[in-house]
């Protein structure tokens, strides 16, 4: 038990750890005030029994003394309970809130491959279910287990004042109770491990079902997919029932030990009174103590079974936080703002460039190799991308185009070779400052459940509205935004579900314009756009890419043929490289690509 609490306190940050330590100290004082009830009862019993049995005059002062002790006990307990509960709740909830942020920050610097190898369900489960259980369960467990333990200790200490023999019986009962409690916690250990796994699997299946609901309906496989989901849910239900069934016998045994300890105290107290070795007042006081001891043991014991949950939650969170991240600090010192001169012009601040990272951006890949899950994706590619040029990357699906772009922007680290920016290895820059020099427009745009204005100013949350509108106008999305009921303050659904594909794409371009990085990577940005939106989208892209170094993955002839250089990647290698006319004459992959596009364009209904 103490090891679990110690691990949890280590898990807390320094500020919240102090709250828990403070709550323990105040909890000790609280237990003392709770134990004072015994003294109040003893004073009153001695006065009443002395009058009734021994014929002594009843002193009114006895009532006032007992009343005063009770008042001190109650008021002290109320005040200390308030502080212990408040500090423990604040410590628990704030710890978990900070850990969620810490996990999010940690995941931000993980290689992208991690998110392919690990299910979204596991990440979601840790940041939601696990942290929620920790904030609720851990706070309650710490509060109730410590409360029960401390009250029990102080009741036993108070009993030593009256009769050491009864106190030893209570101490023996407490020891036996803790012995049974150890087996109680061990009994649910394996089941709780399985419960956490089932929770993760259930979250993953629910997310998978919801995200793929369109395909499920389109292919009429709702019954099959629902069956898989039901099986996972039923599996979790069974693990919960199994845990309860495993817990109940030991919980009942533990409760029986607590009750028998109370019975033993009562029998011993009556025996000592009858043989004349204990006065009647002390005997009655010990009978009251027996009930108080049982209640304190029962409170702490029932909640102690949940200590394993605290262990598991801490372990799962620490497991993610222990995952190795990419080297994010870098070796090249950067300026305090880290902005390029173009970005500064947009925000109205003085131009300040990254140290060693000027506007003359030149990206070079030198013999880079990258494998994912032992499968080689990029195989010895070398390529130079001059400043202020457009490089189009084409090739068969699965050839490694997107992976290559991700390596250039350091979404992953290369296994061999180097990627340099202005002659310096990208790994030598801090991750944050490196990312400020890249803007991305992906085929599948993700917009956040927030206002359109906040989605556009995502990279600059404090940017004024005038800058937001300026970026929207350049991206050709000002008109349709203004036509919405709340304009720029319209809250869009998660992922931008309430907007069309072209509208989402143009908002993402406005976001990139707002960031105004010197290097733009377009990954199939126009692939899924209807003809009505294509003109506006192309105009937006043209505005975005002015005087920028552009790297585009594209399948449309219009966006490829005017590129300064075209690179054809197939099976992780560059198989063709040059300008449009030269590559067409080669009659290779690119020429076939052009022919297929021309044939597709000629089709009419």
């Amino acid at each position: 038990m103490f090891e679990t609490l110690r691990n949890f306190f280590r898990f807390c940050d320094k500020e919240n750890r102090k709250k828990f330590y403070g709550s323990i100290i105040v909890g000790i004082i609280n237990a003392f005030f709770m134990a004072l009830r015994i003294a109040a009862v003893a004073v009153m019993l001695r006065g009443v029994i002395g009058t009734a049995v021994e014929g002594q005059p009843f002193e009114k002062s006895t009532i006032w003394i007992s009343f005063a002790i009770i008042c001190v006990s109650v008021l002290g307990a109320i005040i200390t309970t308030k502080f212990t509960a408040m500090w423990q709740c604040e410590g628990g909830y704030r710890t978990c809130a900070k850990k969620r942020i810490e996990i999010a920050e940690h995941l931000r610097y993980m290689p992208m491959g991690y998110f392919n190898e690990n299910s979204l369900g596991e990440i979601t489960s840790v940041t939601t279910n696990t942290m929620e259980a920790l904030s609720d369960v851990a706070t309650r467990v710490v509060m109730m287990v410590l409360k029960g333990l401390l009250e029990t200790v102080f009741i036993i200490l108070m009993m030593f004042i009256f009769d050491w023999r009864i106190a030893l019986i209570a101490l023996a009962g407490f020891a036996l109770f803790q012995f049974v409690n150890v087996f109680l916690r061990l009994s649910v250990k394996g089941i709780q491990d399985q419960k956490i796994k089932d929770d993760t699997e259930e979250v993953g299946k629910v997310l998978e079902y919801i995200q793929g609901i369109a395909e499920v309906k389109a292919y009429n496989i709702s019954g099959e997919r629902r069956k898989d989901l039901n099986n996972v849910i039923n599996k979790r239900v069974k693990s919960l029932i199994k845990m309860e069934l495993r817990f109940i016998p030991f919980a009942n045994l533990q409760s029986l030990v607590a009750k028998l300890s109370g019975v033993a105290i009562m029998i011993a107290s009556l025996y000592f009174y009858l043989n004349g070795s204990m006065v009647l007042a002390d005997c009655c006081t010990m009978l009251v103590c027996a009930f108080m001891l049982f209640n304190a043991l029962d409170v702490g014991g029932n909640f102690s079974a949940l200590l394993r949950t605290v262990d598991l939650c801490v372990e799962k969170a620490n497991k993610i936080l222990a995952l190795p991240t990419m080297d994010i600090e870098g070796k090249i010192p950067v300026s305090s703002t880290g902005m390029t001169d173009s970005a500064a012009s947009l925000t109205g601040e003085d131009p300040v460039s990254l140290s060693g990272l000027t506007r003359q951006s030149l990206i070079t890949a030198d013999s880079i190799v990258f494998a994912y899950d032992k499968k080689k994706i990029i195989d010895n590619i070398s390529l130079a991308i001059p400043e202020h040029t457009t490089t189009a990357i084409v090739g068969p699906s699965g050839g490694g185009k997107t992976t290559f772009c991700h390596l250039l922007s350091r979404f992953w680290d290369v296994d061999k070779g180097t990627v340099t920016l202005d002659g310096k290895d990208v790994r030598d820059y801090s991750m944050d400052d490196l990312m400020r020099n890249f803007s991305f427009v992906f085929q599948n745009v993700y917009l956040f459940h927030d206002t359109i204005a906040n989605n556009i100013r995502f990279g600059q949350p404090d940017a004024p509205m005038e800058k937001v509108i300026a970026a929207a106008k350049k991206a050709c999305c000002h008109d349709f935004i203004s036509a919405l009921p709340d304009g720029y303050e319209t809250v869009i659904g998660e992922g931008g579900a309430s907007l069309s594909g072209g509208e989402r794409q143009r908002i993402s371009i406005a976001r990139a314009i707002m960031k105004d990085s010197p290097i733009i990577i377009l990954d199939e940005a126009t692939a899924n756009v209807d003809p009505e939106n294509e003109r506006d989208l192309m105009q937006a892209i043209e505005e975005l890419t002015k005087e920028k170094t552009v790297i585009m993955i594209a399948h449309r002839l219009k966006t490829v043929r005017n590129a300064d250089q075209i690179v054809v990647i197939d099976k992780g290698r560059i198989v063709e490289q040059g300008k449009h006319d030269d590559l067409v004459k080669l009659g290779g992959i690119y020429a076939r690509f052009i022919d297929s596009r021309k044939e597709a364009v000629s089709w009419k209904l």
Side-chain angles (χ1 to χ4, degrees):
M1 178 177 73
F2 293 107
E3 182 63 26
T4 297
L5 296 176
R6 194 158 47 243
N7 289 337
F8 176 69
F9 293 151
R10 289 197 203 106
F11 182 74
C12 300
D13 61 284
K14 187 176 180 180
E15 179 184 348
N16 289 302
R17 193 181 304 134
K18 287 181 179 179
K19 291 183 183 295
F20 278 108
Y21 289 158
S23 72
I24 292 174
I25 294 172
V26 178
I28 293 172
I29 301 172
N30 175 266
F32 169 75
F33 281 123
M34 297 296 285
L36 275 181
R37 294 174 296 175
I38 298 174
V41 170
V43 169
M44 183 59 69
L45 285 174
R46 284 182 177 178
V48 172
I49 292 174
T51 301
V53 178
E54 301 174 10
Q56 298 175 357
F58 184 77
E59 300 289 342
K60 291 183 178 180
S61 60
T62 301
I63 298 176
W64 292 111
I65 292 172
S66 179
F67 180 71
I69 295 173
I70 281 290
C71 286
V72 171
S73 174
V74 171
L75 289 174
I78 290 173
I79 294 171
T80 52
T81 298
K82 173 194 171 183
F83 282 103
T84 54
M86 182 176 65
W87 287 344
Q88 287 173 353
C89 286
E90 284 184 1
Y93 288 120
R94 289 181 178 176
T95 290
C96 293
K98 288 185 176 181
K99 284 299 175 180
R100 281 191 178 101
I101 296 171
E102 187 178 342
I103 289 171
E105 284 295 306
H106 191 80
L107 291 174
R108 193 157 68 96
Y109 299 111
M110 294 290 297
M112 291 297 291
Y114 169 80
F115 301 100
N116 293 327
E117 294 167 357
N118 297 270
S119 70
L120 180 61
E122 181 174 357
I123 299 171
T124 305
S125 179
V126 171
T127 54
T128 54
N129 289 359
T130 301
M131 288 296 102
E132 190 71 24
L134 194 60
S135 62
D136 290 338
V137 174
T139 302
R140 183 65 59 87
V141 165
V142 170
M143 190 185 307
M144 301 309 293
V145 170
L146 287 178
K147 177 181 173 64
L149 178 65
L150 291 173
E151 282 189 21
T152 301
V153 169
F154 270 91
I155 289 171
I156 293 174
L157 289 175
M158 192 70 72
M159 293 171 76
F160 269 107
I161 296 175
F162 293 94
D163 194 293
W164 63 269
R165 297 168 298 179
I166 301 299
L168 286 178
I169 295 173
L171 190 62
F174 177 62
L176 182 59
F177 182 90
Q178 292 300 322
F179 180 75
V180 175
N181 185 258
V182 170
F183 287 97
L184 171 66
R185 296 200 303 271
L186 290 175
S187 70
V188 297
K189 181 178 180 180
I191 303 298
Q192 284 182 324
D193 291 348
Q194 185 61 45
K195 175 189 173 296
I196 296 292
K197 291 179 182 178
D198 291 343
D199 286 347
T200 300
E201 187 178 0
E202 182 184 51
V203 171
K205 274 294 180 184
V206 170
L207 286 172
E208 177 187 316
Y209 186 84
I210 293 172
Q211 290 172 340
I213 193 67
E215 284 74 16
V216 169
K217 288 184 176 181
Y219 290 94
N220 196 27
I221 54 173
S222 58
E224 180 182 340
R225 302 309 300 173
R226 191 167 59 244
K227 182 180 178 181
D228 292 341
L229 179 61
N230 289 342
N231 288 338
V232 171
I233 293 173
N234 290 333
K235 182 181 177 184
R236 180 170 177 268
V237 169
K238 289 179 181 178
S239 68
L240 289 171
I241 294 173
K242 187 176 181 180
M243 185 172 70
E244 289 297 323
L245 292 177
R246 188 77 64 85
F247 168 81
I248 288 172
F250 288 96
N252 288 337
L253 179 60
Q254 184 177 257
S255 180
L256 180 63
V257 168
K259 291 176 181 177
L260 289 178
S261 298
V263 171
I265 290 171
M266 293 179 184
I267 293 174
S269 298
L270 291 172
Y271 174 76
F272 292 142
Y273 166 69
L274 293 174
N275 69 13
S277 61
M278 180 185 289
V279 298
L280 181 59
D282 288 351
C283 175
C284 293
T285 302
M286 292 301 98
L287 294 179
V288 173
C289 286
F291 287 100
M292 294 176 63
L293 182 69
F294 161 70
N295 183 65
L297 284 174
D298 206 38
V299 168
N302 287 339
F303 280 92
S304 64
L306 296 173
L307 287 172
R308 179 59 185 163
T309 300
V310 178
D311 269 335
L312 289 173
C313 292
V314 170
E315 287 172 11
K316 285 180 73 67
N318 283 336
K319 181 181 176 182
I320 290 183
L321 292 172
L323 291 170
T325 60
M326 302 168 74
D327 183 13
I328 61 174
E329 295 300 326
K331 303 172 185 175
I332 300 174
V334 296
S335 66
S336 59
T337 61
M339 287 192 301
T340 62
D341 55 1
S342 180
S345 68
L346 187 66
T347 58
E349 299 182 22
D350 294 332
V352 182
S353 63
L354 294 171
S355 175
L357 229 166
T358 68
R359 292 292 291 181
Q360 309 302 313
S361 300
L362 175 64
I363 307 172
T364 303
D366 184 12
S367 304
I368 63 173
V369 176
F370 177 76
Y372 170 66
D373 198 20
K374 298 182 180 179
K375 179 183 178 182
K376 189 174 285 187
I377 307 298
I378 301 298
D379 186 9
N380 197 33
I381 286 183
S382 295
L383 178 66
I385 301 175
E387 59 170 339
H388 296 168
T389 62
T390 297
T391 298
I393 300 176
V394 299
S397 180
K401 304 184 295 297
T402 298
T403 301
F404 176 65
C405 289
H406 284 169
L407 292 172
L408 295 181
S409 53
R410 209 191 167 200
F411 276 26
W412 288 293
D413 279 333
V414 296
D415 296 331
K416 294 181 181 178
T418 56
V419 176
T420 61
L421 188 58
D422 282 346
K424 301 177 180 66
D425 196 314
V426 292
R427 290 169 289 195
D428 289 341
Y429 297 104
S430 76
M431 181 65 76
D432 288 338
D433 286 298
L434 181 66
M435 284 297 103
R436 289 191 184 99
N437 286 264
F438 287 89
S439 286
F440 303 87
V441 180
F442 298 109
Q443 176 181 353
N444 298 316
V445 177
Y446 189 88
L447 300 179
F448 295 90
H449 182 67
D450 204 339
T451 65
I452 290 178
N454 285 340
N455 269 281
I456 293 175
R457 60 161 70 97
F458 185 70
Q460 296 184 37
D462 298 325
M465 197 64 198
E466 296 78 26
K467 303 295 183 184
V468 174
I469 294 174
K473 287 180 177 179
K474 289 180 179 180
C476 301
C477 54
H478 174 70
D479 291 340
F480 84 77
I481 294 174
S482 300
L484 295 171
D486 297 318
Y488 284 86
E489 297 305 313
T490 300
V491 176
I492 57 179
E494 185 175 350
S498 57
L499 301 175
S500 70
E503 290 170 342
R504 290 197 301 271
Q505 198 70 278
R506 277 180 278 163
I507 288 177
S508 74
I509 292 174
R511 186 159 59 191
I513 290 173
M514 193 78 177
K515 187 179 180 184
D516 200 18
S517 301
I519 303 165
I520 308 296
I521 295 181
L522 306 171
D523 188 352
E524 302 282 9
T526 62
N528 298 326
V529 179
D530 54 80
E532 289 76 12
N533 282 303
E534 184 175 9
R535 181 180 60 82
D536 288 339
L537 185 60
M538 294 305 298
Q539 184 179 338
I541 290 175
E542 183 180 346
E543 188 67 39
L544 170 66
T545 56
K546 280 182 180 178
E547 299 182 1
K548 302 293 176 65
T549 302
V550 181
I551 305 166
M552 65 168 66
I553 300 172
H555 286 158
R556 292 197 175 196
L557 180 57
K558 292 179 183 178
T559 56
V560 173
R561 66 181 306 151
N562 295 323
D564 296 295
Q565 68 171 332
I566 299 168
V567 178
V568 182
I569 296 180
D570 184 28
K571 297 179 181 177
R573 289 177 171 268
I574 295 178
V575 294
E576 295 176 8
Q577 182 177 353
K579 287 185 173 291
H580 172 77
D581 293 337
D582 297 330
L583 294 180
V584 170
K585 292 176 183 177
L586 288 177
I589 293 177
Y590 182 75
R592 292 194 294 273
F593 162 78
I594 295 300
D595 291 339
S596 65
R597 292 302 177 273
K598 287 180 178 179
E599 183 178 352
V601 170
S602 67
W603 287 1
K604 292 183 180 179
L605 294 177

